[in-house]
Amino acid sequence: MRQLLLFISVISVGILFISRLFYLQIYKTDANNLFEDNAIRKVYDYPKRGFVYDRNGKLLVANQPTYDVMVIPREVKPLDTLEFCKLLKITKEDFVKKYDKAYHYSPRLPSPFVPQLSKEDYAVLQEKMRKFEGFYIQKRSLRDYQTTIGANVLGDIGEVNYATINKNPYYRMGDLIGKQGVEASYEDILRGVKGIKFIQKDRFNRNIGPYKDGKFDTIPEQGKDITITIDAHLQAYGELLMKNKRGGVIALEPKTGEILAMVAAPTYDPNILVGRNRSKNFTKLYNDTIAKPLFNRSLQGVYEPGSPFKLMNALIALQEGVMDENEHVTCYRGYKYGNRFMKCHCNYGTRNDMVSGIQRSCNAYFATAYRKILDKNGSASDGIDVWSKHAKSFGLGNFLNNDLFVGQKGRIPDRDYYKHIYPKTFYSTYTISNAIGQGEVATTPIQLANMAAAIANRGYFYTPHIIKHIEGETLPENFAKPKFTTINREHFEPVIDGMLAVYEKGTASSLRVKDIDICGKTGTVENFIKIDSVKTQLTDHSIFVAFAPKENPKIAIAVFVENGYWGSRFAGKVASLMIEKHIKGEITRTDLEDWLLRHTLEDEYAKPYSGEPFKINGYTTLQTVDEKTYSLLKQKLNQLNNTED
């Protein structure tokens, strides 16, 4: 019996010993478990991010080498702190703060201690790193922007935060990630996949070579190059025209939905968010709560669309059969409803049909059309839902489901929206401001540009998008599939004729461009803010939408200039010039170009803080830039033209 027990004991111990060996040599050598082994040092090999090109093959974003000082807190030995701080150009207080942050993240995992050393600092430090145990230098790449334009388009990269690390196990402390723009939208494609090397350490914590001869090491996969839809020259030109102004510009190619230009003003040089000064520069931009350079007005700015929305009401009136293009409405310098009066610029007694109503932007005509739409079936409650459904089919009042990093829904109200204001009785006159694109209607510049593209296409649009080509991949099917509106094709012609008349003899007749049939619509929107809790009217906003040419359109555009007075004064000039630039490649209306470069709206933007009065209606002399500033702008324009040639 004793012999049997002894035999069983020996067998049991043998099985346990073999099991342990199996665990250590087979199971525990799995790559996932190596991350938990303190005797193995993990060294990441970061891939180069993919390059970014514009639609014409111009390189916009490349890479440049950088060197990070990394720390593994538990491996740090006593060192000459003053010498180390001097080499890194930091204070002893900075040293303590950075070490504590790294230790808090993980005592045994590497963390960035001083990121993004210059080549010169790296050369000096490299020779002395052996003196500072627990620290090492890791090479990787930073972005190298080959341009000074398109900051809101391209975006930037920065260190991941704890929230991202907890959400996505791919990232570790010190990793870089796309923060805005294309860098953020296409992060997974641009970043590639980092590699890793497992280094065996001895009992003195010294590196003795690759673990298992590099069996579990992986090589990095370089990020894929992408081509975006932006035309860098058109983008640069738009940014120059919007200098000393605030607003947004979106230009689309109607037949594809590709974004040709996406200007947000004011803007900044994307290169200032690269390197060790990134944090300081970003903080400066972020804290500018007045100009808001980080706010992408072309995508995030939500404004009342003003008179360009009259085009929508014209189309809905035709589709619903409540008006035809030949029906006339007499304007008595406005529209009277109840005991209220909506003013209009038409001469007293002017008779307008649909084309001339659009040409003259007659408020009385479109107030009549709006009321007929809502009252068609005797119930304004039902009518506004019909009206809302048509407008939303143009991509208004909702996200466009595009590939852009930010955006806003805007607002197209329906009966549910108004129930909290008018819970019982609802009449068409309650919301009459919607007839002229004010009231509760709100849109973004990209939505208005998309609306213009849908009109240019006579009833359909392609989802606006920024990606044109991805190395080795096909684009999402969603971008190649047309989205049809609820308006029949035949109803677009009178509206387009009206838009052409705006340029030929209407509110934009001074903006005509030779040999291009431009169809457009001016807009002026009242502008209110609260100053010391008092609702105050500021200078009106300037809005313009257009497409060209009339047949086989190549560009659709929306321009919004804050405090720009009226549609043709600022926004219309920008739109006309960008259309001519895109179609002809050169500018004949240099008078419009010169006017925009000379005039600034900075004094308008300062008025809420300076106490100067606002010019609400009528013409006023605008502030011009000084001759030095004008000369610099002209120099940039000449450089742009020479580069394009």
mmCIF file of all heavy atoms in Angstrom, residues 510-552:
data_model
loop_
_atom_site.group_PDB
_atom_site.id
_atom_site.type_symbol
_atom_site.label_atom_id
_atom_site.label_comp_id
_atom_site.label_asym_id
_atom_site.label_seq_id
_atom_site.Cartn_x
_atom_site.Cartn_y
_atom_site.Cartn_z
ATOM 1 N N SER A 510 -24.210 92.688 -60.995
ATOM 2 C CA SER A 510 -22.886 93.325 -60.994
ATOM 3 C C SER A 510 -21.763 92.302 -60.864
ATOM 4 O O SER A 510 -20.583 92.672 -60.936
ATOM 5 C CB SER A 510 -22.785 94.328 -59.837
ATOM 6 O OG SER A 510 -22.916 93.656 -58.593
ATOM 7 N N LEU A 511 -22.113 91.032 -60.686
ATOM 8 C CA LEU A 511 -21.107 89.992 -60.453
ATOM 9 C C LEU A 511 -20.931 89.066 -61.653
ATOM 10 O O LEU A 511 -20.280 88.028 -61.546
ATOM 11 C CB LEU A 511 -21.500 89.156 -59.220
ATOM 12 C CG LEU A 511 -21.818 89.931 -57.942
ATOM 13 C CD1 LEU A 511 -22.236 88.968 -56.838
ATOM 14 C CD2 LEU A 511 -20.621 90.762 -57.494
ATOM 15 N N ARG A 512 -21.513 89.423 -62.793
ATOM 16 C CA ARG A 512 -21.452 88.544 -63.969
ATOM 17 C C ARG A 512 -20.015 88.260 -64.387
ATOM 18 O O ARG A 512 -19.135 89.112 -64.271
ATOM 19 C CB ARG A 512 -22.201 89.182 -65.146
ATOM 20 C CG ARG A 512 -23.712 89.133 -65.021
ATOM 21 C CD ARG A 512 -24.336 89.603 -66.317
ATOM 22 N NE ARG A 512 -23.917 90.972 -66.643
ATOM 23 C CZ ARG A 512 -24.736 92.001 -66.675
ATOM 24 N NH1 ARG A 512 -26.012 91.842 -66.425
ATOM 25 N NH2 ARG A 512 -24.291 93.203 -66.976
ATOM 26 N N VAL A 513 -19.809 87.057 -64.894
ATOM 27 C CA VAL A 513 -18.501 86.634 -65.407
ATOM 28 C C VAL A 513 -18.670 86.276 -66.875
ATOM 29 O O VAL A 513 -19.543 85.483 -67.238
ATOM 30 C CB VAL A 513 -17.958 85.428 -64.621
ATOM 31 C CG1 VAL A 513 -16.648 84.943 -65.229
ATOM 32 C CG2 VAL A 513 -17.768 85.782 -63.152
ATOM 33 N N LYS A 514 -17.850 86.860 -67.712
ATOM 34 C CA LYS A 514 -17.964 86.659 -69.157
ATOM 35 C C LYS A 514 -17.811 85.187 -69.531
ATOM 36 O O LYS A 514 -16.943 84.484 -69.036
ATOM 37 C CB LYS A 514 -16.905 87.494 -69.876
ATOM 38 C CG LYS A 514 -17.014 87.469 -71.392
ATOM 39 C CD LYS A 514 -15.945 88.340 -72.038
ATOM 40 C CE LYS A 514 -16.056 88.304 -73.561
ATOM 41 N NZ LYS A 514 -15.002 89.115 -74.207
ATOM 42 N N ASP A 515 -18.698 84.748 -70.419
ATOM 43 C CA ASP A 515 -18.656 83.407 -71.013
ATOM 44 C C ASP A 515 -19.012 82.280 -70.040
ATOM 45 O O ASP A 515 -18.787 81.112 -70.344
ATOM 46 C CB ASP A 515 -17.285 83.108 -71.628
ATOM 47 C CG ASP A 515 -16.934 84.076 -72.756
ATOM 48 O OD1 ASP A 515 -17.860 84.513 -73.455
ATOM 49 O OD2 ASP A 515 -15.735 84.382 -72.912
ATOM 50 N N ILE A 516 -19.548 82.607 -68.865
ATOM 51 C CA ILE A 516 -20.007 81.569 -67.929
ATOM 52 C C ILE A 516 -21.441 81.889 -67.519
ATOM 53 O O ILE A 516 -21.711 82.969 -66.987
ATOM 54 C CB ILE A 516 -19.130 81.482 -66.667
ATOM 55 C CG1 ILE A 516 -17.671 81.214 -67.029
ATOM 56 C CG2 ILE A 516 -19.632 80.357 -65.753
ATOM 57 C CD1 ILE A 516 -16.746 81.140 -65.826
ATOM 58 N N ASP A 517 -22.351 80.968 -67.789
ATOM 59 C CA ASP A 517 -23.740 81.118 -67.338
ATOM 60 C C ASP A 517 -23.834 80.642 -65.891
ATOM 61 O O ASP A 517 -23.904 79.442 -65.613
ATOM 62 C CB ASP A 517 -24.684 80.296 -68.220
ATOM 63 C CG ASP A 517 -24.832 80.887 -69.611
ATOM 64 O OD1 ASP A 517 -24.675 82.112 -69.738
ATOM 65 O OD2 ASP A 517 -25.093 80.118 -70.551
ATOM 66 N N ILE A 518 -23.821 81.600 -64.973
ATOM 67 C CA ILE A 518 -23.879 81.273 -63.543
ATOM 68 C C ILE A 518 -25.314 81.415 -63.061
ATOM 69 O O ILE A 518 -25.980 82.414 -63.337
ATOM 70 C CB ILE A 518 -22.956 82.179 -62.721
ATOM 71 C CG1 ILE A 518 -21.517 82.100 -63.245
ATOM 72 C CG2 ILE A 518 -23.000 81.798 -61.248
ATOM 73 C CD1 ILE A 518 -20.552 83.024 -62.527
ATOM 74 N N CYS A 519 -25.788 80.414 -62.349
ATOM 75 C CA CYS A 519 -27.114 80.450 -61.730
ATOM 76 C C CYS A 519 -26.919 80.609 -60.231
ATOM 77 O O CYS A 519 -26.242 79.784 -59.599
ATOM 78 C CB CYS A 519 -27.873 79.161 -62.026
ATOM 79 S SG CYS A 519 -28.066 78.818 -63.784
ATOM 80 N N GLY A 520 -27.485 81.670 -59.654
ATOM 81 C CA GLY A 520 -27.211 81.932 -58.244
ATOM 82 C C GLY A 520 -28.381 82.533 -57.512
ATOM 83 O O GLY A 520 -29.438 82.819 -58.090
ATOM 84 N N LYS A 521 -28.197 82.731 -56.215
ATOM 85 C CA LYS A 521 -29.215 83.385 -55.387
ATOM 86 C C LYS A 521 -28.529 84.089 -54.234
ATOM 87 O O LYS A 521 -27.759 83.487 -53.483
ATOM 88 C CB LYS A 521 -30.219 82.358 -54.846
ATOM 89 C CG LYS A 521 -31.361 82.994 -54.064
ATOM 90 C CD LYS A 521 -32.285 83.767 -54.990
ATOM 91 C CE LYS A 521 -33.271 84.634 -54.211
ATOM 92 N NZ LYS A 521 -32.628 85.874 -53.685
ATOM 93 N N THR A 522 -28.809 85.380 -54.122
ATOM 94 C CA THR A 522 -28.269 86.174 -53.017
ATOM 95 C C THR A 522 -29.094 85.962 -51.762
ATOM 96 O O THR A 522 -30.255 85.554 -51.817
ATOM 97 C CB THR A 522 -28.281 87.668 -53.375
ATOM 98 O OG1 THR A 522 -29.627 88.035 -53.751
ATOM 99 C CG2 THR A 522 -27.341 87.970 -54.514
ATOM 100 N N GLY A 523 -28.482 86.269 -50.617
ATOM 101 C CA GLY A 523 -29.200 86.166 -49.348
ATOM 102 C C GLY A 523 -28.663 87.146 -48.323
ATOM 103 O O GLY A 523 -27.456 87.374 -48.229
ATOM 104 N N THR A 524 -29.583 87.730 -47.569
ATOM 105 C CA THR A 524 -29.239 88.635 -46.472
ATOM 106 C C THR A 524 -30.008 88.179 -45.247
ATOM 107 O O THR A 524 -31.233 88.038 -45.300
ATOM 108 C CB THR A 524 -29.617 90.092 -46.813
ATOM 109 O OG1 THR A 524 -28.998 90.456 -48.054
ATOM 110 C CG2 THR A 524 -29.181 91.039 -45.711
ATOM 111 N N VAL A 525 -29.305 87.936 -44.160
ATOM 112 C CA VAL A 525 -29.940 87.372 -42.965
ATOM 113 C C VAL A 525 -29.708 88.278 -41.769
ATOM 114 O O VAL A 525 -28.576 88.688 -41.491
ATOM 115 C CB VAL A 525 -29.388 85.963 -42.661
ATOM 116 C CG1 VAL A 525 -29.952 85.434 -41.352
ATOM 117 C CG2 VAL A 525 -29.734 85.009 -43.788
ATOM 118 N N GLU A 526 -30.785 88.573 -41.069
ATOM 119 C CA GLU A 526 -30.673 89.370 -39.852
ATOM 120 C C GLU A 526 -29.829 88.628 -38.820
ATOM 121 O O GLU A 526 -29.847 87.399 -38.736
ATOM 122 C CB GLU A 526 -32.058 89.677 -39.288
ATOM 123 C CG GLU A 526 -32.867 90.622 -40.164
ATOM 124 C CD GLU A 526 -34.236 90.921 -39.591
ATOM 125 O OE1 GLU A 526 -34.743 90.085 -38.802
ATOM 126 O OE2 GLU A 526 -34.796 91.967 -39.920
ATOM 127 N N ASN A 527 -29.122 89.392 -38.019
ATOM 128 C CA ASN A 527 -28.105 88.841 -37.131
ATOM 129 C C ASN A 527 -28.294 89.414 -35.730
ATOM 130 O O ASN A 527 -28.156 90.625 -35.531
ATOM 131 C CB ASN A 527 -26.720 89.191 -37.697
ATOM 132 C CG ASN A 527 -25.590 88.722 -36.834
ATOM 133 O OD1 ASN A 527 -25.745 87.828 -36.002
ATOM 134 N ND2 ASN A 527 -24.425 89.325 -37.014
ATOM 135 N N PHE A 528 -28.621 88.557 -34.772
ATOM 136 C CA PHE A 528 -28.857 88.994 -33.399
ATOM 137 C C PHE A 528 -27.950 88.240 -32.430
ATOM 138 O O PHE A 528 -27.680 87.042 -32.621
ATOM 139 C CB PHE A 528 -30.312 88.748 -32.991
ATOM 140 C CG PHE A 528 -31.320 89.561 -33.750
ATOM 141 C CD1 PHE A 528 -31.876 89.075 -34.925
ATOM 142 C CD2 PHE A 528 -31.720 90.807 -33.292
ATOM 143 C CE1 PHE A 528 -32.818 89.817 -35.630
ATOM 144 C CE2 PHE A 528 -32.657 91.558 -33.995
ATOM 145 C CZ PHE A 528 -33.209 91.061 -35.164
ATOM 146 N N ILE A 529 -27.474 88.935 -31.411
ATOM 147 C CA ILE A 529 -26.803 88.284 -30.290
ATOM 148 C C ILE A 529 -27.258 88.981 -29.004
ATOM 149 O O ILE A 529 -27.904 90.036 -29.056
ATOM 150 C CB ILE A 529 -25.264 88.355 -30.379
ATOM 151 C CG1 ILE A 529 -24.773 89.812 -30.296
ATOM 152 C CG2 ILE A 529 -24.752 87.672 -31.612
ATOM 153 C CD1 ILE A 529 -23.282 89.918 -30.079
ATOM 154 N N LYS A 530 -26.915 88.389 -27.876
ATOM 155 C CA LYS A 530 -27.210 89.015 -26.591
ATOM 156 C C LYS A 530 -25.959 89.700 -26.070
ATOM 157 O O LYS A 530 -24.898 89.097 -25.969
ATOM 158 C CB LYS A 530 -27.701 87.986 -25.584
ATOM 159 C CG LYS A 530 -29.156 87.584 -25.788
ATOM 160 C CD LYS A 530 -29.680 86.751 -24.629
ATOM 161 C CE LYS A 530 -31.157 86.450 -24.808
ATOM 162 N NZ LYS A 530 -31.702 85.667 -23.657
ATOM 163 N N ILE A 531 -26.088 90.988 -25.770
ATOM 164 C CA ILE A 531 -25.014 91.765 -25.174
ATOM 165 C C ILE A 531 -25.505 92.270 -23.833
ATOM 166 O O ILE A 531 -26.490 93.017 -23.757
ATOM 167 C CB ILE A 531 -24.588 92.941 -26.072
ATOM 168 C CG1 ILE A 531 -24.117 92.432 -27.439
ATOM 169 C CG2 ILE A 531 -23.497 93.761 -25.399
ATOM 170 C CD1 ILE A 531 -23.727 93.533 -28.404
ATOM 171 N N ASP A 532 -24.867 91.817 -22.760
ATOM 172 C CA ASP A 532 -25.312 92.158 -21.408
ATOM 173 C C ASP A 532 -26.785 91.801 -21.213
ATOM 174 O O ASP A 532 -27.592 92.604 -20.705
ATOM 175 C CB ASP A 532 -25.088 93.647 -21.113
ATOM 176 C CG ASP A 532 -23.614 94.018 -21.127
ATOM 177 O OD1 ASP A 532 -22.798 93.150 -20.779
ATOM 178 O OD2 ASP A 532 -23.291 95.165 -21.491
ATOM 179 N N SER A 533 -27.136 90.589 -21.684
ATOM 180 C CA SER A 533 -28.490 90.025 -21.535
ATOM 181 C C SER A 533 -29.544 90.755 -22.355
ATOM 182 O O SER A 533 -30.741 90.520 -22.176
ATOM 183 C CB SER A 533 -28.910 90.003 -20.055
ATOM 184 O OG SER A 533 -28.012 89.225 -19.294
ATOM 185 N N VAL A 534 -29.125 91.647 -23.262
ATOM 186 C CA VAL A 534 -30.065 92.387 -24.105
ATOM 187 C C VAL A 534 -29.920 91.900 -25.544
ATOM 188 O O VAL A 534 -28.816 91.883 -26.093
ATOM 189 C CB VAL A 534 -29.809 93.903 -24.038
ATOM 190 C CG1 VAL A 534 -30.760 94.645 -24.968
ATOM 191 C CG2 VAL A 534 -29.952 94.397 -22.607
ATOM 192 N N LYS A 535 -31.035 91.483 -26.162
ATOM 193 C CA LYS A 535 -31.005 91.055 -27.556
ATOM 194 C C LYS A 535 -30.669 92.251 -28.440
ATOM 195 O O LYS A 535 -31.382 93.249 -28.460
ATOM 196 C CB LYS A 535 -32.347 90.456 -27.962
ATOM 197 C CG LYS A 535 -32.364 89.879 -29.372
ATOM 198 C CD LYS A 535 -33.716 89.263 -29.713
ATOM 199 C CE LYS A 535 -33.711 88.689 -31.124
ATOM 200 N NZ LYS A 535 -35.019 88.094 -31.487
ATOM 201 N N THR A 536 -29.558 92.129 -29.173
ATOM 202 C CA THR A 536 -29.044 93.249 -29.962
ATOM 203 C C THR A 536 -28.877 92.823 -31.413
ATOM 204 O O THR A 536 -28.351 91.746 -31.693
ATOM 205 C CB THR A 536 -27.683 93.718 -29.399
ATOM 206 O OG1 THR A 536 -27.816 94.013 -28.001
ATOM 207 C CG2 THR A 536 -27.182 94.940 -30.153
ATOM 208 N N GLN A 537 -29.339 93.672 -32.324
ATOM 209 C CA GLN A 537 -29.192 93.376 -33.743
ATOM 210 C C GLN A 537 -27.858 93.882 -34.244
ATOM 211 O O GLN A 537 -27.508 95.050 -34.100
ATOM 212 C CB GLN A 537 -30.324 93.987 -34.567
ATOM 213 C CG GLN A 537 -30.276 93.563 -36.038
ATOM 214 C CD GLN A 537 -31.512 93.975 -36.812
ATOM 215 O OE1 GLN A 537 -32.361 94.689 -36.295
ATOM 216 N NE2 GLN A 537 -31.612 93.518 -38.047
ATOM 217 N N LEU A 538 -27.097 92.965 -34.861
ATOM 218 C CA LEU A 538 -25.811 93.297 -35.450
ATOM 219 C C LEU A 538 -25.967 93.489 -36.948
ATOM 220 O O LEU A 538 -27.054 93.342 -37.502
ATOM 221 C CB LEU A 538 -24.791 92.190 -35.163
ATOM 222 C CG LEU A 538 -24.081 92.193 -33.806
ATOM 223 C CD1 LEU A 538 -25.058 92.066 -32.651
ATOM 224 C CD2 LEU A 538 -23.055 91.066 -33.748
ATOM 225 N N THR A 539 -24.874 93.775 -37.609
ATOM 226 C CA THR A 539 -24.868 93.896 -39.068
ATOM 227 C C THR A 539 -25.270 92.564 -39.692
ATOM 228 O O THR A 539 -24.845 91.494 -39.247
ATOM 229 C CB THR A 539 -23.474 94.306 -39.567
ATOM 230 O OG1 THR A 539 -23.073 95.493 -38.877
ATOM 231 C CG2 THR A 539 -23.494 94.564 -41.063
ATOM 232 N N ASP A 540 -26.086 92.610 -40.742
ATOM 233 C CA ASP A 540 -26.613 91.397 -41.375
ATOM 234 C C ASP A 540 -25.501 90.514 -41.940
ATOM 235 O O ASP A 540 -24.414 90.980 -42.291
ATOM 236 C CB ASP A 540 -27.568 91.769 -42.515
ATOM 237 C CG ASP A 540 -28.837 92.443 -42.017
ATOM 238 O OD1 ASP A 540 -29.137 92.330 -40.820
ATOM 239 O OD2 ASP A 540 -29.511 93.100 -42.838
ATOM 240 N N HIS A 541 -25.816 89.213 -42.047
ATOM 241 C CA HIS A 541 -24.919 88.255 -42.682
ATOM 242 C C HIS A 541 -25.110 88.284 -44.199
ATOM 243 O O HIS A 541 -26.196 88.571 -44.713
ATOM 244 C CB HIS A 541 -25.199 86.837 -42.189
ATOM 245 C CG HIS A 541 -24.903 86.627 -40.736
ATOM 246 N ND1 HIS A 541 -23.780 87.114 -40.116
ATOM 247 C CD2 HIS A 541 -25.586 85.943 -39.773
ATOM 248 C CE1 HIS A 541 -23.791 86.755 -38.843
ATOM 249 N NE2 HIS A 541 -24.871 86.046 -38.613
ATOM 250 N N SER A 542 -24.053 87.939 -44.924
ATOM 251 C CA SER A 542 -24.071 87.872 -46.385
ATOM 252 C C SER A 542 -23.990 86.412 -46.822
ATOM 253 O O SER A 542 -23.080 85.687 -46.413
ATOM 254 C CB SER A 542 -22.872 88.653 -46.946
ATOM 255 O OG SER A 542 -22.749 88.483 -48.343
ATOM 256 N N ILE A 543 -24.965 85.967 -47.659
ATOM 257 C CA ILE A 543 -25.031 84.568 -48.089
ATOM 258 C C ILE A 543 -25.189 84.517 -49.607
ATOM 259 O O ILE A 543 -25.838 85.379 -50.211
ATOM 260 C CB ILE A 543 -26.220 83.837 -47.424
ATOM 261 C CG1 ILE A 543 -26.136 83.951 -45.911
ATOM 262 C CG2 ILE A 543 -26.260 82.371 -47.829
ATOM 263 C CD1 ILE A 543 -27.309 83.312 -45.183
ATOM 264 N N PHE A 544 -24.610 83.487 -50.195
ATOM 265 C CA PHE A 544 -24.759 83.312 -51.638
ATOM 266 C C PHE A 544 -24.633 81.833 -51.981
ATOM 267 O O PHE A 544 -23.759 81.133 -51.470
ATOM 268 C CB PHE A 544 -23.676 84.098 -52.395
ATOM 269 C CG PHE A 544 -24.016 84.396 -53.816
ATOM 270 C CD1 PHE A 544 -24.721 85.529 -54.154
ATOM 271 C CD2 PHE A 544 -23.636 83.535 -54.827
ATOM 272 C CE1 PHE A 544 -25.049 85.815 -55.474
ATOM 273 C CE2 PHE A 544 -23.946 83.802 -56.143
ATOM 274 C CZ PHE A 544 -24.659 84.946 -56.470
ATOM 275 N N VAL A 545 -25.544 81.350 -52.841
ATOM 276 C CA VAL A 545 -25.426 79.998 -53.388
ATOM 277 C C VAL A 545 -25.460 80.105 -54.903
ATOM 278 O O VAL A 545 -26.109 80.992 -55.465
ATOM 279 C CB VAL A 545 -26.545 79.046 -52.899
ATOM 280 C CG1 VAL A 545 -26.524 78.919 -51.383
ATOM 281 C CG2 VAL A 545 -27.910 79.494 -53.389
ATOM 282 N N ALA A 546 -24.757 79.191 -55.576
ATOM 283 C CA ALA A 546 -24.704 79.248 -57.039
ATOM 284 C C ALA A 546 -24.192 77.926 -57.598
ATOM 285 O O ALA A 546 -23.623 77.102 -56.867
ATOM 286 C CB ALA A 546 -23.793 80.388 -57.500
ATOM 287 N N PHE A 547 -24.399 77.743 -58.879
ATOM 288 C CA PHE A 547 -23.739 76.665 -59.613
ATOM 289 C C PHE A 547 -23.468 77.154 -61.031
ATOM 290 O O PHE A 547 -24.087 78.105 -61.516
ATOM 291 C CB PHE A 547 -24.563 75.367 -59.604
ATOM 292 C CG PHE A 547 -25.840 75.425 -60.392
ATOM 293 C CD1 PHE A 547 -25.862 75.171 -61.758
ATOM 294 C CD2 PHE A 547 -27.043 75.720 -59.764
ATOM 295 C CE1 PHE A 547 -27.043 75.209 -62.484
ATOM 296 C CE2 PHE A 547 -28.241 75.771 -60.474
ATOM 297 C CZ PHE A 547 -28.241 75.510 -61.840
ATOM 298 N N ALA A 548 -22.539 76.493 -61.707
ATOM 299 C CA ALA A 548 -22.190 76.912 -63.070
ATOM 300 C C ALA A 548 -21.423 75.784 -63.765
ATOM 301 O O ALA A 548 -20.759 74.979 -63.111
ATOM 302 C CB ALA A 548 -21.343 78.184 -63.016
ATOM 303 N N PRO A 549 -21.489 75.780 -65.096
ATOM 304 C CA PRO A 549 -22.446 76.544 -65.907
ATOM 305 C C PRO A 549 -23.861 75.978 -65.778
ATOM 306 O O PRO A 549 -24.056 74.949 -65.129
ATOM 307 C CB PRO A 549 -21.892 76.381 -67.323
ATOM 308 C CG PRO A 549 -21.124 75.103 -67.290
ATOM 309 C CD PRO A 549 -20.573 74.969 -65.907
ATOM 310 N N LYS A 550 -24.796 76.639 -66.436
ATOM 311 C CA LYS A 550 -26.190 76.213 -66.322
ATOM 312 C C LYS A 550 -26.376 74.791 -66.824
ATOM 313 O O LYS A 550 -27.072 73.991 -66.201
ATOM 314 C CB LYS A 550 -27.086 77.174 -67.113
ATOM 315 C CG LYS A 550 -28.571 76.819 -67.048
ATOM 316 C CD LYS A 550 -29.408 77.748 -67.924
ATOM 317 C CE LYS A 550 -30.882 77.313 -67.900
ATOM 318 N NZ LYS A 550 -31.704 78.141 -68.817
ATOM 319 N N GLU A 551 -25.783 74.480 -67.966
ATOM 320 C CA GLU A 551 -25.846 73.126 -68.523
ATOM 321 C C GLU A 551 -24.538 72.394 -68.204
ATOM 322 O O GLU A 551 -23.468 72.970 -68.284
ATOM 323 C CB GLU A 551 -26.066 73.185 -70.041
ATOM 324 C CG GLU A 551 -27.294 73.974 -70.461
ATOM 325 C CD GLU A 551 -28.603 73.406 -69.918
ATOM 326 O OE1 GLU A 551 -28.658 72.181 -69.664
ATOM 327 O OE2 GLU A 551 -29.562 74.187 -69.746
ATOM 328 N N ASN A 552 -24.665 71.138 -67.840
ATOM 329 C CA ASN A 552 -23.501 70.329 -67.454
ATOM 330 C C ASN A 552 -22.662 71.037 -66.392
ATOM 331 O O ASN A 552 -21.465 71.303 -66.573
ATOM 332 C CB ASN A 552 -22.637 70.016 -68.677
ATOM 333 C CG ASN A 552 -21.557 68.989 -68.378
ATOM 334 O OD1 ASN A 552 -21.699 68.166 -67.458
ATOM 335 N ND2 ASN A 552 -20.467 69.037 -69.127
#
